[in-house]
Amino acid sequence: MSEAARLIVENGPCNGREFTVQPGGAGSRAGRSSRNEIPLDDPSVSRFHCRFFFKPDEGLWVCDLGSANNTLVNDKVIQEQRLRPHDRITIGDSVLKVISDGSGALPATDSIPVVKSAGTVTSTPVAGHEVDLGLAGTAPRSTSQRSNIRLVLLLVALASMSVVVAWIFLFLIPSRSKARNAAVVQPKLEGFDLKYEKVEASGSNIFQYVLEINDGRARLELHDLANKRHFSGPKTEVKSEVLAKLTRSIQDTGFFALQPEYIGHATETFNLRNLSVTVGPTTHRTRILNATAPAEFENVRGTIEEFGLNEFGVRAWAYPREELIRLANDSMRLGMKLYDEKNVRYENLYQAIHAFKEANIYLETVDPKPDFFQEAISLQDKCEKELKDVCKDLWFQADRSIKVKDWQEAATVLQTIIATIPDRADKEHEMAEQRLADVQRRIGR
């Protein structure tokens, strides 16, 4: 069974730091990102540069993760390489040396203590030599010599026990000190990182779409120069289940089997698609420039762009200016119709607010704004104030009925609140449902 492999940084900003790679699991990634098991504060190193890992019965290996500056082993560029003690791995301006490969065997230049005679301990290389513990020889030993040998063996045993104890404290008990240079690397859960950039440029316009996801947070930038539309959203937390679904979608497209580059012929337009995805220890990057993208790339591109537009609420970017104005006008008219019929159905006032909001979202990136933009904002505010007053009155009726224990009336009013605010995610809807469940239990007694 393999032991933990040990690496030390011989050159670079992290010079002197020592790391371990545990057998089993996905191994340890090295790179500039703090999410790596081997983080290197080196600007010339890619965020996820390479991965150290164990192959069953084959020892310690290293593989490149699509890095910008390549991974070198003993000054040779590699994609995947078996590692042995004294090998040197160059990533960026940093050089890591393999102290041990986890096999348990010592390098040929290492030595171990050898007892040549009673009370005398020397060292001799392991390779090609028989280890003498001082027990060989035909001459009878004196009682004093035998005592000395037993003492030496006892000291060796105690030293071995000390090494075992030190090993346990070093590798099995997490260190609480962050000041020491040696870092003990523990396997981490699979991560997900993504960077996607789309640029479409011509003599009349430049459109850029940039989406980044790392550490569970997403950031989106959109620029449409000709239409004077710009969006730069802050980093936002993404729900874990949403990220998990996105990760599975990308893995199922076959993206990780694509070539690194697809380059076409230069034309009057500039069309770039650049995507880098990291899932656990695997990183893949594909760049497409003025070329027809493979179906696998188109599938993942569509999934990513749809995620960005929905997550940041900027679906309006999918339409040209004229179409946005038409959609906003349609939503505006629907909102006005629902408002006029607010007494026909309980939810009409709520749905009118939603329609006016939609109209304003469509017009958010349109410049200059159409004439009905201010009217849409005013109608949305008016409906929100009316809905607030309606709910306030309904809650007053519900509380009064509960206080006098008129459970039937209370149930009727609470059902009206639920119908007035049909969105189950709304706090007032949720609270009304909870109250109604309690009232119905009392009715059933």
Side-chain angles (χ1 to χ4, degrees), residues 1-251:
M1 184 176 180
S2 299
E3 302 172 353
R6 294 170 58 210
L7 309 169
I8 189 169
V9 181
E10 276 197 337
N11 190 31
C14 298
N15 186 34
R17 290 196 64 186
E18 190 174 320
F19 300 92
T20 64
V21 181
Q22 301 291 343
S28 299
R29 289 180 299 181
R32 196 175 70 251
S33 171
S34 60
R35 294 191 63 194
N36 289 289
E37 291 79 15
I38 303 178
L40 299 172
D41 187 16
D42 183 343
S44 64
V45 172
S46 296
R47 293 184 67 249
F48 298 98
H49 199 108
C50 64
R51 177 169 68 99
F52 296 90
F53 63 100
F54 283 87
K55 283 189 178 181
D57 303 321
E58 293 188 41
L60 180 66
W61 286 68
V62 63
C63 68
D64 187 76
L65 296 177
S67 63
N69 296 325
N70 296 317
T71 300
L72 290 75
V73 175
N74 299 327
D75 297 326
K76 293 182 180 179
V77 176
I78 60 95
Q79 286 299 316
E80 190 174 88
Q81 177 72 41
R82 167 77 160 91
L83 295 175
R84 302 184 184 280
H86 302 302
D87 281 346
R88 286 172 170 81
I89 304 92
T90 302
I91 56 177
D93 293 332
S94 297
V95 178
L96 286 76
K97 176 183 175 182
V98 180
I99 300 176
S100 67
D101 61 357
S103 64
L106 293 172
T109 57
D110 289 347
S111 60
I112 60 174
V114 175
V115 180
K116 288 295 183 181
S117 61
T120 304
V121 181
T122 63
S123 295
T124 186
V126 175
H129 293 271
E130 181 180 353
V131 178
D132 181 8
L133 294 178
L135 303 178
T138 57
R141 300 187 182 277
S142 66
T143 303
S144 175
Q145 287 177 320
R146 287 195 296 272
S147 297
N148 288 339
I149 291 173
R150 283 196 296 269
L151 178 60
V152 170
L153 291 176
L154 178 61
L155 291 174
V156 170
L158 290 173
S160 300
M161 290 178 64
S162 299
V163 171
V164 171
V165 171
W167 179 270
I168 291 173
F169 273 91
L170 183 60
F171 295 104
L172 299 184
I173 301 178
S175 173
R176 296 176 182 268
S177 172
K178 296 183 180 179
R180 67 182 189 181
N181 289 330
V184 180
V185 179
Q186 300 294 339
K188 292 186 178 181
L189 296 175
E190 284 197 344
F192 174 75
D193 293 294
L194 176 149
K195 183 173 182 180
Y196 169 66
E197 180 181 21
K198 175 174 75 173
V199 179
E200 295 175 351
S202 65
S204 58
N205 190 23
I206 297 177
F207 178 85
Q208 183 184 35
Y209 179 113
V210 180
L211 176 66
E212 289 185 272
I213 303 174
N214 54 70
D215 295 329
R217 303 177 73 189
R219 184 182 70 86
L220 178 66
E221 278 193 27
L222 295 166
H223 301 283
D224 184 1
L225 297 187
N227 295 304
K228 299 180 180 179
R229 297 193 297 172
H230 302 278
F231 176 85
S232 182
K235 279 195 172 183
T236 59
E237 295 287 340
V238 183
K239 292 181 179 179
S240 58
E241 56 268 25
V242 175
L243 280 182
K245 183 178 179 181
L246 179 62
T247 305
R248 288 193 299 270
S249 299
I250 294 174
Q251 288 176 311

Side-chain angles (χ1 to χ4, degrees), residues 398-420:
D399 290 339
R400 182 181 60 191
S401 299
I402 290 171
K403 285 179 181 179
V404 299
K405 298 185 179 181
D406 187 348
W407 306 120
Q408 290 291 352
E409 177 64 18
T412 300
V413 176
L414 289 169
Q415 287 168 346
T416 303
I417 295 174
I418 291 171
T420 302

